[in-house]
Amino acid sequence: MTTTRTRLGRGGRLVIPVEIRESMGVAEGDELILDFKEGELKVLSRRLAVKRAQALVKKFVPAGRDLVSELISERRDEAARD
């Protein structure tokens, strides 16, 4: 874990040092997820947030089950009925 110091700028802007941005794999204009809980602010890249959500869902999906194929099949069936 990296700990560094920065200052809050004009308009509440927070500058993330280049080393941390590079480590996170983010660049200017990228969407970030802010998680504020109990006085602590966590900044996540969108990619990491999606990866964590996928890992959480994966715990509840039985091995060998393909949810994407199931969803596509359901949508095709619905479209055929319309």
Side-chain angles (χ1 to χ4, degrees):
M1 183 162 135
T2 299
T3 301
T4 190
R5 294 169 65 152
T6 190
R7 292 191 185 273
L8 197 59
R10 179 173 285 179
R13 295 175 191 263
L14 181 65
V15 175
I16 302 172
V18 66
E19 299 84 13
I20 295 175
R21 291 193 315 266
E22 288 174 351
S23 178
M24 291 175 70
V26 297
E28 184 176 332
D30 286 354
E31 181 179 355
L32 299 173
I33 310 299
L34 303 180
D35 182 22
F36 182 74
K37 191 183 300 179
E38 298 177 12
E40 180 177 71
L41 177 65
K42 292 184 181 182
V43 180
L44 293 88
S45 67
R46 187 172 187 273
R47 182 177 58 253
L48 179 59
V50 168
K51 188 175 179 179
R52 286 184 178 176
Q54 289 171 333
L56 179 65
V57 170
K58 189 175 182 178
K59 292 179 185 179
F60 300 99
V61 177
R65 189 161 177 196
D66 186 354
L67 296 180
V68 172
S69 294
E70 289 179 27
L71 178 62
I72 291 170
S73 178
E74 288 175 11
R75 294 295 186 256
R76 287 185 177 147
D77 290 345
E78 289 173 9
R81 285 192 298 267
D82 289 341

